Amino acid sequence: MKNLSKTAKKILKTNRRKGYTLPTNNKLYPAQWNWDSAFISIGYSYFNLEYAIKELETLIKGQWKNGMIPHILFHEKDDSYFPNHKTWKCGNSVSSSGITQPPIVATALKLIITRNKLNKNQKKRVILLIKKLKKYHDWFYKYRDPKNTGLVSIIHPWESGLDNSPLWDSSLKKIKIDKKLSYKRRDLEVSNSKARPLNSDYDCYITLLNQFKKLNYNPNKLYSNSMFNVVDIGFNSIFLKASKDLLEIAKLYNLNLKDLNKKIFKTESSLLKMYNKKKNIFYSYDLKNKFFINIPSISNYFILFADLNDKKVNKKIIESLKKYNQKEKYIFSSIKPDHKSFEEKRYWRGPVWINTNWIIYQSLKNKDKVYAKKIKDKTIKLIEEKNFFEYYSCKNAETLGANNFSWSSALYLDLIYESN
Ligand code: GLC
């Protein structure tokens, strides 16, 4: 197989703008995305530490006064994207969306600073980043878990990072679609509609967006009024892992984040209570409509990423993961292929994504080295066969979505270069 590290670096450099990196170099995503940037910064850390730190600094520059880091930052007022800054109409120092995304930034920062030697100036900047990330995590606890349950909610499918996953289908069916809805999708001008979310999904996304705008993005009102309020296992697992990582890196710089320790403890025990022993799975929960979300998604296995202190449960979940894609040549499909909601080519309803493979690989490194290695090798092989696409079919690795995709490139670099 060819080593594609040169190409990966070139993609990242080509997609880079002023201090941040686009998810891809076509017109599909002309802005900075939250979790994309976190993954991207890990890739940069192997060949340009300055770019890595800058990527996160630019992201955190968009932090709202209340602590939230938005899911999209519109540094350039590019109207070719929908929904753009004119639709959202919000942001503090940078125009942004009014919701967040899986908070994997602290985890990325930990990987970057523990694998590199930082100079004095970089250390100073990292300390500032840690303080701002603490504010971000506090925002989650305050506004996304106001009843202090230990688990945080997402209030829009876009916040999950897995936009049109079947995980959200039943919850979205309960939404009253805006009657006067009028908008024009721009993604279909540059991407194949067969591999993108449906218009009926977009109707829900925009109805929610309009609701949030009407509420002036007041975080208390968003939590209590949003027509979508879900405790997502994948999201909470990433949040817990990132909180643990934040605490660890704070210690490296003698920063005292004691209150975070207690919160981590609570989230950990609340997450464990979500374990369905009979079915051997962690299901997400629709808080608004009060039902468990019984869909076999790869993100249910992010629970392993959270590093729960329960070896027995972890072991059982790994056993289940090993059966998840038994018949497929390419792993991991976003939805289990034998489930009725599975669609081979449609975005988060079936295809293989590099970032979810990476999360699962990271989760297994300290739990099942042999299996972890297998996942890593298969992911590298898929990219080396097919290049850096946004997503792929699990049946035949057909390439889907955008080419020259930034996080696929960045995480490839991590997989081939990582030493711990
Ligand atoms: C889509 C994906 C999301 C990603 C964004 C930019 O919205 O669902 O996870 O962050 O595109 O790549």
Side-chain angles (χ1 to χ4, degrees), residues 68-133:
M68 184 185 80
I69 302 179
H71 102 292
I72 308 178
L73 298 179
F74 303 106
H75 297 287
E76 305 261 325
K77 305 267 172 345
D78 184 332
D79 295 349
S80 68
Y81 181 73
F82 177 81
N84 60 36
H85 65 109
K86 284 188 188 147
T87 323
W88 285 102
K89 284 204 180 67
C90 59
N92 286 175
S93 52
V94 186
S95 286
S96 72
S97 68
I99 55 173
T100 192
Q101 243 191 345
I104 201 161
V105 191
T107 298
L109 186 62
K110 181 186 147 191
L111 290 176
I112 293 168
I113 65 178
T114 51
R115 288 170 179 174
N116 284 283
K117 213 170 151 30
L118 273 57
N119 65 32
K120 231 179 169 179
N121 168 275
Q122 288 166 334
K123 275 187 195 157
K124 235 167 93 184
R125 288 155 63 199
V126 165
I127 289 175
L128 211 61
L129 290 179
I130 294 174
K131 289 183 178 163
K132 291 182 176 172
L133 286 176

Side-chain angles (χ1 to χ4, degrees), residues 179-191:
K179 284 207 182 86
K180 288 185 224 126
L181 211 54
S182 142
Y183 64 91
K184 187 171 182 291
R185 283 179 73 171
R186 307 298 296 269
D187 56 322
L188 302 181
E189 293 165 16
V190 281
S191 201

Side-chain angles (χ1 to χ4, degrees), residues 180-366:
K180 288 185 224 126
L181 211 54
S182 142
Y183 64 91
K184 187 171 182 291
R185 283 179 73 171
R186 307 298 296 269
D187 56 322
L188 302 181
E189 293 165 16
V190 281
S191 201
N192 186 340
S193 63
K194 288 202 179 84
R196 294 286 303 174
L198 301 170
N199 287 336
S200 52
D201 297 320
Y202 262 79
D203 285 351
C204 296
Y205 303 154
I206 305 308
T207 298
L208 286 169
L209 189 164
N210 289 343
Q211 186 195 18
F212 301 165
K213 192 161 45 181
K214 258 190 229 145
L215 296 170
N216 278 323
Y217 301 102
N218 174 314
N220 294 311
K221 289 188 184 157
L222 257 50
Y223 180 87
S224 48
N225 295 3
S226 172
M227 289 182 275
F228 182 92
N229 188 323
V230 169
V231 171
D232 172 20
I233 289 297
F235 195 97
N236 275 275
S237 304
I238 289 176
F239 178 58
L240 177 57
K241 166 76 171 149
S243 299
K244 289 178 180 178
D245 288 341
L246 185 59
L247 194 64
E248 259 186 53
I249 54 179
K251 275 188 200 146
L252 294 178
Y253 295 101
N254 297 319
L255 299 170
N256 186 350
L257 308 186
K258 252 196 192 145
D259 61 319
L260 190 58
N261 212 351
K262 258 201 221 146
K263 288 174 173 159
I264 287 173
F265 192 76
K266 175 135 196 180
T267 302
E268 170 122 6
S269 61
S270 305
L271 256 180
L272 259 171
K273 285 189 198 127
M274 302 286 280
Y275 181 52
N276 181 327
K277 204 170 166 190
K278 223 166 119 198
K279 298 245 167 82
N280 185 28
I281 197 164
F282 283 80
Y283 285 131
S284 297
Y285 185 71
D286 182 323
L287 257 185
K288 186 94 194 160
N289 304 297
K290 309 219 174 334
F291 60 82
F292 279 97
I293 301 174
N294 181 352
I295 302 278
S297 163
I298 191 61
S299 58
N300 294 335
Y301 295 93
F302 292 179
I303 197 70
L304 296 166
F305 192 58
D307 272 337
L308 296 181
N309 191 11
D310 189 324
K311 282 200 176 134
K312 245 195 196 158
V313 170
N314 287 339
K315 200 169 158 247
K316 296 287 286 176
I317 295 292
I318 293 173
E319 277 167 23
S320 152
L321 177 65
K322 286 181 176 167
K323 292 185 205 135
Y324 181 87
N325 265 159
Q326 252 170 348
K327 295 194 196 120
E328 285 67 44
K329 188 162 171 211
Y330 299 92
I331 57 166
F332 285 103
S333 61
S334 31
I335 293 295
K336 200 162 186 272
D338 57 7
H339 192 259
K340 58 181 187 301
S341 66
F342 172 86
E343 290 181 66
E344 186 190 337
K345 300 184 189 177
R346 198 179 295 285
Y347 218 40
W348 291 101
R349 302 183 74 87
V352 174
W353 291 72
I354 300 302
N355 65 332
T356 54
N357 276 14
W358 183 88
I359 290 174
I360 298 290
Y361 166 64
Q362 295 301 324
S363 315
L364 290 170
K365 278 199 313 192
N366 60 355

